[in-house]
Amino acid sequence: MDFKIGVLADGFQLPFEQAIAESAKLGIDGVQIYAVSGDLAPENVTPEILREKKNILNHYGIKISAICGDLGGHGFENKDENAARVEKSKKIVDTALQLGTNIITTHIGVVPEDSQSEKYKTMQEACNQLAEYADGN
């Protein structure tokens, strides 16, 4: 079986292009990158930024294996915050697709054991909204 090796690009603690260059030097096949802050944050990403990132990736022969869309805090546990969190996450889905991956990781929060609890249902509703959005794209 042929296994590919990937890394979290931010783990190098270098600017994007240098992290991608270092990945290539190490023979890495793919990288996971964060899309919640910096250039790739939903509020900052532009077609130009996406084109620049794709050019860098192509130059070094590196693929995006996944996008991390972890918004921090308590994930999707708080119903009052979820509308904004779901909308931001939808934009992260868009960014991932534009960068050539359909794998998005996040943390939804601590899932209660009781599947009938309000918190469980709140988290499930947010995940369902994101799944439906991603499935439609």
Side-chain angles (χ1 to χ4, degrees):
M1 185 174 280
D2 181 32
F3 290 101
K4 295 185 185 273
I5 304 294
V7 296
L8 182 61
D10 293 78
F12 289 109
Q13 298 181 346
L14 296 169
F16 184 83
E17 185 165 9
Q18 289 174 312
I20 301 306
E22 191 64 27
S23 298
K25 262 191 344 194
L26 294 172
I28 302 297
D29 298 301
V31 294
Q32 179 178 5
I33 57 174
Y34 281 96
V36 294
S37 61
D39 286 356
L40 292 174
E43 61 274 11
N44 297 333
V45 73
T46 64
E48 293 78 23
I49 288 171
L50 290 171
R51 193 168 28 259
E52 172 195 337
K53 302 299 185 201
K54 284 188 212 178
N55 287 340
I56 291 167
L57 291 160
N58 288 335
H59 175 77
Y60 290 100
I62 301 288
K63 302 279 185 207
I64 298 288
S65 57
I67 296 289
C68 182
D70 178 12
L71 302 177
H74 298 286
F76 296 104
E77 294 179 23
N78 186 333
K79 190 172 195 155
D80 296 335
E81 296 176 7
N82 279 357
R85 285 177 166 267
V86 166
E87 284 309 307
K88 189 169 186 171
S89 294
K90 286 178 180 179
K91 292 176 182 172
I92 292 169
V93 168
D94 295 339
T95 297
L97 293 172
Q98 292 167 333
L99 287 172
T101 187
N102 61 359
I103 299 172
I104 299 103
T105 64
T106 191
H107 296 281
I108 66 169
V110 178
V111 180
E113 288 186 35
D114 179 6
S115 64
Q116 300 306 308
S117 72
E118 193 60 36
K119 189 191 307 188
Y120 187 100
K121 291 177 183 177
T122 295
M123 296 168 80
Q124 187 175 43
E125 180 182 327
C127 289
N128 283 340
Q129 289 175 20
L130 286 171
E132 288 173 9
Y133 181 79
D135 188 48
N137 286 300

